[in-house]
């Protein structure tokens, strides 16, 4: 395995404060003093300075409000929505925004309110002043709740949540999807409106699981079009026509997984028909095979791309979260598009994160022998953007994949401490957030306290075996095979491997020697830690 071209990347970081009207910024590195609040605080991931993300305020959930020009640097503003009405007395929960093109590109928020009886309702809010570029103030509709559960519509009052971004049909009626559960089946309900204020439930759901399900409630549904030609160009949510497939994403409450289906949207029947391979809702692909949930996409018209946001929860115990005073972060925004195979979605960090790269440090190409552990020195390993690829020779010596393993790659990776089992070809990869003496470390194919795993469809003859990882103190986001598979983890290294004590290694645990790995290329971009 040959390694070359290491880059260092200082970062100017703005901390979102979710309702606190100031910005904190620093170029200083963290001291070696251990503070659970600061040591595990990411520097380039959006997160709250205090409280749980989504912002608990006086025991009620509110909508925090932050703005950005580049999806990296965020300015915090006063709360956008707070519980003030009987229909949202127990919190303003998840929802989506839709841009109404006329008049003047007006944005409208649809959100869940939990009422005085703890029933879930759908509500509407609009900007007080649509000309305000920051949209500082929002006004709730006098028609709220605009969708509510009842015996007549047979909607479960405690499982009716998360309205999607709306789309406009050819008949000039708006449509929106709301998640629910009927018995043991997840359901994506469909609602329609002519004026965006008065909504009716469609006769049939947009889609529902066709058999007994173990996924539980379908939360946070998302529905959007993608091009079929493999282009990363995104489409407006209301776009339709030839050369287009639609994606229905649901957040499965059981297991906290974000799963998706690719298929055809039948506009005549207002129904979604999954493509071959997506019919079984029990074995759907995921956006991310680690800690990634309740995600949402939006269409960025300026750059003609679809951007994916996801919530990364903590892996720490509640006592640690209380000591930190904050919990939960957002993943790096990802550009999302349909692979040219039409069988899966591709994700890649938005290009803006690359603006943080500077100060190159070169590491000359080399061969990584079997049993080798090579430290990547000269970097701030607690905060980095790493790209590495492996070119493999003698593929006939690789271990044959047993078809039964396809049932659970996570179990395969965890069984027998899979990263340490020596085979002819590998395992190989990166060790991150490691201590100098290797008393602790995180394998990039085995993150978090939980071991994660996923099979990736690659052709090693014509494609690089590549991995990109964004490391930010207590979070590691990994993108395998140019974004075909993603794993995100929260990790909490001890004093042995935090801040300046963190180290990074390339490893080859295989038994084969120098002739095995050829032409690997490593780019590493270290991001300067924040010293607040």
């Amino acid at each position: 395995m040959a390694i070359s071209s290491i880059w260092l990347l200082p970062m100017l970081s703005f901390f979102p404060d979710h309702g606190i009207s100031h910005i904190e910024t620093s170029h200083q590195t963290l001291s070696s003093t251990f503070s659970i609040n600061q040591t595990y605080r990411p520097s380039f991931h959006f997160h709250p300075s205090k409280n749980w993300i989504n912002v608990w305020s006086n025991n009620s959930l509110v909508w925090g409000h932050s703005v950005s020009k580049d999806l990296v640097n965020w300015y915090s503003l006063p709360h956008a929505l707070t519980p003030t009405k009987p229909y949202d007395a127990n919190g303003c929960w998840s929802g989506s925004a839709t841009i109404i093109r006329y008049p003047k590109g007006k944005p409208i928020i649809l959100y869940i309110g939990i009422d005085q009886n703890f029933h879930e309702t759908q509500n509407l809010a609009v900007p007080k002043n649509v000309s305000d570029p920051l949209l500082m103030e929002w006004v709730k509709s006098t028609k709220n709740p605009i969708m509510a559960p009842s015996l007549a519509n047979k909607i479960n009052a405690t499982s009716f949540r998360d309205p999607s971004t709306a789309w406009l049909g050819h008949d000039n009626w708006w449509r929106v999807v709301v998640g629910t559960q009927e018995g043991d089946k997840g359901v994506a309900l469909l609602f329609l409106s002519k004026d965006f204020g008065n909504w009716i439930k469609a006769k049939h759901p947009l889609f529902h699981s066709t058999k007994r399900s173990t996924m539980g409630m379908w939360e946070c549904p998302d529905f959007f079009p993608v091009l079929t030609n493999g282009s990363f160009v995104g489409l407006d949510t209301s776009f339709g026509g030839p050369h287009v497939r639609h994606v229905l994403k649901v957040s499965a409450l059981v297991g906290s997984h974000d799963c998706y289906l690719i298929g055809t949207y039948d506009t005549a029947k207002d129904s979604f028909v999954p493509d071959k391979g997506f019919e079984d809702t029990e074995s759907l692909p995921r956006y991310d095979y680690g800690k990634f949930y309740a995600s949402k996409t939006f269409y960025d018209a300026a750059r003609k791309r679809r951007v994916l946001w996801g919530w990364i929860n903590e892996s720490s115990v509640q006592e640690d979260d209380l000591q930190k005073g904050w919990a939960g972060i957002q993943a790096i925004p990802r550009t999302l598009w349909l692979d040219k195979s039409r069988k899966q979605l591709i994700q890649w960090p938005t290009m803006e994160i690359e603006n943080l790269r500077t100060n190159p440090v070169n590491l000359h190409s080399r061969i990584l022998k079997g049993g080798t552990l090579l430290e990547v020195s000269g970097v701030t390993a607690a905060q980095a953007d790493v790209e590495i690829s492996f070119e493999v020779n003698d593929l006939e010596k690789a271990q044959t994949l047993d078809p039964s393993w396809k049932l659970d790659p996570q179990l395969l990776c965890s069984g027998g401490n899979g990263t340490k089992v020596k085979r002819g070809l590998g395992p190989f990869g990166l060790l991150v957030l490691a201590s100098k003496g290797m008393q602790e470390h995180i394998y990039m194919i085995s993150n978090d306290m939980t071991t994660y795993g996923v099979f990736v469809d690659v052709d090693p003859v014509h494609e690089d075996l590549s991995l990109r990882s964004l490391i930010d103190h207590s979070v590691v986001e990994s993108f395998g095979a140019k974004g075909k598979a993603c794993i995100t983890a929260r990790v909490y290294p001890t004093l042995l491997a935090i801040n300046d004590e963190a180290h990074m290694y390339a490893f080859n645990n295989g038994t084969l020697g120098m002739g095995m790995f050829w032409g690997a290329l490593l780019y590493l971009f270290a991001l300067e830690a924040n010293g607040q």
Side-chain angles (χ1 to χ4, degrees), residues 431-442:
L431 300 175
V432 304
L433 297 176
S435 61
K436 183 63 177 176
M438 292 292 294
Q439 292 93 335
E440 61 174 302
H441 51 266
I442 304 296

Side-chain angles (χ1 to χ4, degrees), residues 20 23 36 40 63 72 110 125 152 186 216 229 251 285 295 317 346 391 397 447 463 502 526:
I20 300 174
I23 304 165
I36 193 171
Y40 299 138
W63 275 43
V72 177
L110 296 177
N229 61 4
S251 295
S295 62
V317 296
I346 305 296
E391 185 176 319
K397 298 179 181 179
N447 298 333
E463 298 179 73

Side-chain angles (χ1 to χ4, degrees), residues 393-513:
N393 197 13
D394 296 334
L395 284 172
E396 67 278 3
K397 298 179 181 179
Q399 185 178 20
T400 302
L401 180 68
D402 187 324
S404 66
W405 294 348
K406 295 183 179 180
L407 297 176
D408 194 345
Q410 182 170 342
L411 183 61
L412 172 65
C413 289
S414 22
N417 199 359
T419 56
K420 292 184 178 180
V421 175
K422 292 186 177 181
R423 302 184 178 95
L425 179 58
F428 54 87
L430 289 177
L431 300 175
V432 304
L433 297 176
S435 61
K436 183 63 177 176
M438 292 292 294
Q439 292 93 335
E440 61 174 302
H441 51 266
I442 304 296
Y443 278 96
M444 289 312 303
I445 52 176
S446 177
N447 298 333
D448 200 342
M449 298 178 184
T450 304
T451 300
Y452 298 117
V454 57
F455 288 108
V456 186
D457 184 12
V458 295
D459 178 2
V461 176
H462 301 99
E463 298 179 73
D464 290 336
L465 301 178
S466 66
L467 179 72
R468 182 179 181 185
S469 296
L470 296 171
I471 306 160
D472 195 5
H473 296 291
S474 64
V475 57
V476 181
E477 294 186 65
S478 295
F479 302 81
K482 302 296 183 182
K484 287 186 176 181
C486 305
I487 293 178
T488 297
R490 297 305 304 278
V491 292
Y492 308 96
T494 68
L495 282 168
L496 295 174
I498 63 172
N499 307 327
D500 294 339
E501 299 300 320
H503 297 263
M504 180 185 301
Y505 300 86
F507 73 91
N508 172 13
N509 283 348
T511 59
L512 296 179

